[in-house]
Amino acid sequence: NNNNNNNNNATAAEVRVWEDDPSVSFKLGHPKAMWLALRTNPRASGIALVILWGFVIWALVDPSAANEFTSWRTWITYHFTWLFMLEINVFLLFLIYVALHPRYSKLVIGPPKDKPEFGFLTWMTMLFTTGVGIGLFFFGAAEPIWHYSLPNRYSSL
């Protein structure tokens, strides 16, 4: 029981680092519970929240706002699809450059003589399962909503 208490209590140095850390603009919880430290920029977060809630309130007050949002999305998609495609291709070329460059492909994240914790196959497996997980989270909610919103054989009942 005493070991569990020691594991949950932060040392004085850890608390001091948490309290002195300039990136912790908003502190949530007790300094000993360092995993609760919420690192945010209040100005950027506040502006984003005001804009987001402005759109939400506008959509709730004015039901025709949904049509306005749809026209905005259509305009952006029509005029800026080329930019999206260009950005994806430039980023892909950058990743290939980094992977094939003799200096950057051998870059070790950590101490110079540190061995990787996971092998190549394990990394690829983790990347694959992360992609599958993201797809399940997104389409787990999006697909039923999509099917429900479209006319189907049960719509007339």
Side-chain angles (χ1 to χ4, degrees), residues 14-15 17 40 43 47 50 53 83 106-107 139 145 152:
E14 289 172 330
V15 171
V17 166
T40 64
R43 186 177 303 139
I47 292 170
V50 166
W53 280 106
L83 183 62
K106 305 295 182 205
L107 185 65
F139 288 109
I145 292 171
N152 57 52

Side-chain angles (χ1 to χ4, degrees), residues 35-46:
W35 60 275
L36 289 176
L38 184 60
R39 301 174 191 280
T40 64
N41 181 335
R43 186 177 303 139
S45 299

Side-chain angles (χ1 to χ4, degrees), residues 14-30:
E14 289 172 330
V15 171
R16 191 170 47 256
V17 166
W18 185 82
E19 289 173 343
D20 297 336
D21 188 354
S23 67
V24 180
S25 302
F26 176 73
K27 296 177 177 77
L28 175 67
H30 194 272

Side-chain angles (χ1 to χ4, degrees), residues 26-72:
F26 176 73
K27 296 177 177 77
L28 175 67
H30 194 272
K32 290 183 179 178
M34 293 178 63
W35 60 275
L36 289 176
L38 184 60
R39 301 174 191 280
T40 64
N41 181 335
R43 186 177 303 139
S45 299
I47 292 170
L49 281 172
V50 166
I51 292 171
L52 174 72
W53 280 106
F55 280 118
V56 169
I57 291 169
W58 179 29
L60 289 173
V61 170
D62 183 13
S64 66
N67 293 335
E68 186 69 25
F69 294 146
T70 302
S71 69
W72 291 356

